[in-house]
């Protein structure tokens, strides 16, 4: 899960609904990063485009949606050279940089800008903007049953700039609790699209939600704002660097996604060690997502922060998380008490099983329920490791041994 904008930015209906789904997923699995699911399931990707991207940049985890903290990193991995606005409407700042692979032929850079009142987005691609925008919107809403996306376009002129008005209308059926009937809510997003040096740029200038009884605008940029955005396009090296640099880990950012060796190098500096990084454990178990994130202060030292790396793996019908850090209050609690508190308020405690795997002292805890899981935690060379199995909990001890014997990426 990764990156989630604060509630103050989530005024668009589609973003709000999808955020609720992501939050539910986090609590339901107790650990899985919700963004990992989003990154690997929104779009069906063909092998030709994957080969094309690999020829240009070597990805360890080639997720169809990649989140970056710095526009320079996006330049390094993108397959087209793009410009970005050097003008933002008052109060807006860059919130997200996303590189999205939406077909065998098209990759889209989506930049999300936000202020205290809302957000708007800019999409950059080589292909017809109406098609790429529709695929992106379909990806955002496909988790909601029976949602539909319609698109229309027509010529539009802003000042002396000729372009297209592209309108996306997403219909969500929502069940009325009292009357047990379905009513429709529509999210309408308006984009101005124009072409510059062979690329299409689409800036979202108006969005609103409509129901049977109300209509609410969450964004409306003026014609002057649109015109200033269009005329301010520059290559990234010619803009103000700080505008498009979201803090990296070593500057205090709380999270980064890992896709290639450069990302691992940055994560290593924040983690303070070279993490084990198995790409594949078996034919059925392979990595799908990796995130380094801030977990708190190191040993209660307010001047030293502690990061951990979380890798997510597919596992037939289940999933596995593999986490590493230089600090673990859970492990320390188990070492002291030989049990773990699973409910602080009710003072509920659960004993753990103690194992020896590869000559390491390992604590194991099983949990039944709708999502059965098995947790392992151990300490090795002053690094704390944990492996958590969700749903498919077969041969866990043997798989943990494979994680234990894995090495840092060479």
């Amino acid at each position: 899960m990764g990156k989630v904008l604060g509630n103050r930015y989530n005024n668009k209906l589609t973003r709000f609904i999808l955020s609720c789904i992501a939050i539910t997923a986090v609590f339901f699995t107790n650990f899985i990063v919700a963004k990992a699911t989003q990154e690997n399931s929104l779009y069906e990707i063909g092998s030709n485009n994957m080969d094309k991207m690999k020829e240009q940049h070597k990805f360890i985890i080639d997720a169809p949606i990649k989140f970056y903290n710095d526009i320079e990193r996006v330049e390094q991995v993108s397959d087209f050279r793009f410009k970005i606005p050097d003008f933002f409407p008052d109060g807006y700042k860059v919130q997200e940089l996303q590189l999205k692979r939406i077909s065998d032929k098209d990759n889209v850079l989506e930049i999300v800008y936000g202020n205290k009142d809302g957000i708007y987005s800019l999409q950059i691609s080589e292909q017809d903007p109406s098609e790429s925008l529709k695929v992106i919107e379909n990806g955002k809403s496909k988790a909601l049953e029976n949602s539909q996306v319609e698109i229309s376009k027509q010529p539009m002129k802003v000042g002396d700039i000729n372009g297209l008005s592209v309108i996306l209308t997403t219909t969500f059926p929502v069940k009325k609790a009292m009357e047990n009937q379905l009513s429709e809510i529509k999210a309408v997003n308006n984009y101005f699209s124009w072409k510059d040096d062979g690329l299409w740029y689409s800036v979202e200038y108006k969005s609103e939600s409509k129901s049977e009884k109300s209509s609410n605008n969450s964004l409306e940029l003026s014609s002057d704002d649109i015109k200033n955005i269009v005329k301010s396009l520059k290559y990234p090296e010619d803009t103000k660097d700080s505008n498009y640099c979201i803090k990296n880990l070593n500057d205090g950012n709380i999270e980064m996604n890992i896709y290639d060796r450069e990302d691992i190098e940055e994560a290593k500096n924040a983690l303070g060690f070279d993490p084990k990084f198995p790409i594949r454990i078996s034919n059925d178990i392979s990595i799908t997502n990796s995130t380094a994130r801030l977990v708190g202060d190191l040993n209660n030292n307010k001047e030293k922060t502690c990061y951990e790396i979380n890798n997510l793996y597919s596992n037939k019908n289940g999933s596995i998380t593999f986490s590493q850090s230089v600090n673990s209050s859970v492990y320390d609690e188990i070492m002291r008490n030989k049990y773990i508190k699973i409910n602080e308020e009710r003072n509920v405690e659960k004993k753990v099983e103690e194992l020896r795997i590869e000559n390491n002292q390992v604590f194991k805890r099983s949990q039944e329920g709708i999502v059965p899981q098995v947790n392992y935690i151990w300490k090795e060379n002053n690094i704390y490791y944990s492996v958590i199995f969700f749903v498919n909990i077969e041969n866990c001890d043997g798989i943990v041994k494979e994680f234990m014997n894995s090495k840092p990426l060479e």
Side-chain angles (χ1 to χ4, degrees):
M1 255 165 11
K3 297 186 179 190
V4 181
L5 290 175
N7 289 337
R8 62 181 180 171
Y9 298 127
N10 291 341
N11 292 323
K12 293 201 308 182
L13 177 65
T14 53
R15 294 181 185 272
F16 172 77
I17 295 175
L18 289 169
S19 295
C20 291
I21 289 176
I23 292 169
T24 302
V26 171
F27 283 99
F28 187 72
T29 62
N30 193 36
F31 195 84
I32 296 176
V33 181
K35 189 176 292 178
T37 301
Q38 179 193 38
E39 287 181 344
N40 292 282
S41 65
L42 282 184
Y43 311 117
E44 294 180 1
I45 306 302
S47 59
N48 292 338
N49 193 64
M50 292 180 69
D51 292 340
K52 175 185 175 184
M53 292 294 289
K54 288 177 181 177
E55 288 176 3
Q56 298 178 1
H57 186 89
K58 181 66 175 178
F59 290 108
I60 299 167
I61 303 172
D62 196 9
I65 304 178
K66 300 179 179 70
F67 295 80
Y68 289 96
N69 297 328
D70 193 317
I71 199 68
E72 289 186 4
R73 291 289 292 121
V74 180
E75 283 189 290
Q76 292 171 8
V77 302
S78 174
D79 58 346
F80 54 85
R81 179 158 164 74
F82 55 85
K83 298 177 182 178
I84 50 179
D86 204 22
F87 166 84
F88 307 157
D90 285 345
Y92 281 92
K93 295 182 179 180
V94 175
Q95 299 292 330
E96 290 187 351
L97 301 170
Q98 303 178 23
L99 191 61
K100 301 183 175 184
R101 191 168 66 242
I102 63 171
S103 76
D104 284 346
K105 297 181 180 180
D106 198 16
N107 297 283
V108 175
L109 170 58
E110 183 171 45
I111 305 174
V112 178
Y113 305 83
N115 69 5
K116 62 182 179 62
D117 297 318
I119 60 175
Y120 73 92
S121 62
L122 172 74
Q123 283 85 17
I124 307 169
S125 73
E126 297 176 291
Q127 305 299 323
D128 185 324
S130 61
E131 293 303 315
S132 59
L133 288 169
K134 185 175 182 179
V135 172
I136 290 173
E137 192 63 30
N138 270 321
K140 293 175 181 177
S141 61
K142 69 181 295 185
L144 302 176
E145 187 178 0
N146 297 324
S147 62
Q148 296 180 341
V149 179
E150 298 177 351
I151 193 164
S152 65
K153 63 178 179 178
Q154 59 186 21
M156 179 176 176
K157 190 170 185 177
V158 178
D160 60 349
I161 305 162
N162 292 309
L164 298 172
S165 170
V166 181
I167 302 175
L168 291 175
T169 302
T170 307
T171 303
F172 303 96
V174 178
K175 194 170 186 178
K176 293 181 178 178
M178 297 298 293
E179 301 172 345
N180 198 30
Q181 296 178 353
L182 292 177
S183 65
E184 290 185 345
I185 295 179
K186 295 181 182 290
V188 184
N189 304 101
N190 298 258
Y191 294 85
F192 177 65
S193 299
W194 74 100
K195 207 165 190 179
D196 185 289
D197 283 347
L199 293 181
W200 280 101
Y201 295 78
S202 301
V203 62
E204 184 180 18
Y205 66 89
K206 184 179 180 181
S207 63
E208 59 182 330
S209 59
K210 299 178 179 180
S211 65
E212 292 178 351
K213 298 181 179 180
S214 65
S215 177
N216 177 52
N217 284 359
S218 58
L219 167 71
E220 189 158 9
L221 300 182
S222 67
S223 295
D224 285 342
D225 284 337
I226 299 172
K227 183 169 61 176
N228 288 333
I229 289 171
V230 175
K231 290 184 175 296
S232 73
L233 281 188
K234 298 177 182 178
Y235 288 111
E237 61 268 24
D238 298 323
T239 64
K240 300 171 185 175
D241 291 340
S242 59
N243 286 340
Y244 286 89
C245 182
I246 305 168
K247 288 181 179 179
N248 60 36
L249 289 184
N250 295 297
D251 291 329
N253 193 23
I254 62 172
E255 180 180 289
M256 72 168 286
N257 290 275
I258 295 171
Y259 306 111
D260 55 27
R261 292 179 183 276
E262 288 82 355
D263 296 329
I264 291 179
E265 287 301 315
E266 181 179 338
K268 281 167 57 176
N269 292 331
L271 292 165
F273 64 94
D274 195 358
K276 297 180 180 183
F277 209 93
I279 302 299
R280 183 180 297 275
I281 297 297
S282 68
N283 290 335
D284 297 317
I285 301 174
S286 58
I287 194 167
T288 59
N289 177 267
S290 179
T291 305
R293 67 185 184 97
L294 180 69
V295 291
D297 300 319
L298 180 59
N299 299 324
N300 297 318
N301 186 339
K302 300 296 183 182
E303 297 180 357
K304 292 185 178 181
T305 53
C306 182
Y307 286 83
E308 74 176 8
I309 183 169
N310 300 317
N311 289 355
L312 181 67
Y313 295 80
S314 61
N315 183 25
K316 291 185 179 177
N317 297 323
S319 62
I320 302 171
T321 60
F322 178 39
S323 303
Q324 306 164 65
S325 178
V326 296
N327 195 26
S328 174
S329 58
V330 173
Y331 181 89
D332 294 340
E333 178 187 351
I334 295 174
M335 281 294 292
R336 286 193 307 269
N337 306 316
K338 302 304 179 186
Y339 62 78
I340 185 171
K341 287 187 177 181
I342 59 175
N343 190 313
E344 288 284 348
E345 293 182 358
R346 298 180 181 178
N347 200 31
V348 178
E349 301 170 351
K350 184 175 181 64
K351 287 188 176 182
V352 297
E353 182 182 353
E354 187 172 346
L355 308 174
R356 298 296 296 186
I357 301 178
E358 293 295 272
N359 205 33
N360 289 305
Q361 182 182 33
V362 181
F363 297 110
K364 175 181 178 180
R365 178 172 66 89
S366 300
Q367 181 175 315
E368 299 178 352
I370 298 175
V371 182
Q373 65 184 66
V374 180
N375 302 259
Y376 295 79
I377 188 169
W378 72 95
K379 185 178 181 181
E380 186 181 341
N381 297 324
N382 294 318
I383 307 298
Y384 297 88
Y385 298 89
S386 72
V387 175
I388 305 178
F389 295 80
F390 296 94
V391 182
N392 183 357
I393 56 175
E394 297 178 359
N395 189 32
C396 294
D397 290 2
I399 295 172
V400 167
K401 181 179 178 180
E402 296 297 325
F403 279 104
M404 200 172 283
N405 289 328
S406 64
K407 304 292 183 182
L409 197 66
E410 297 181 353

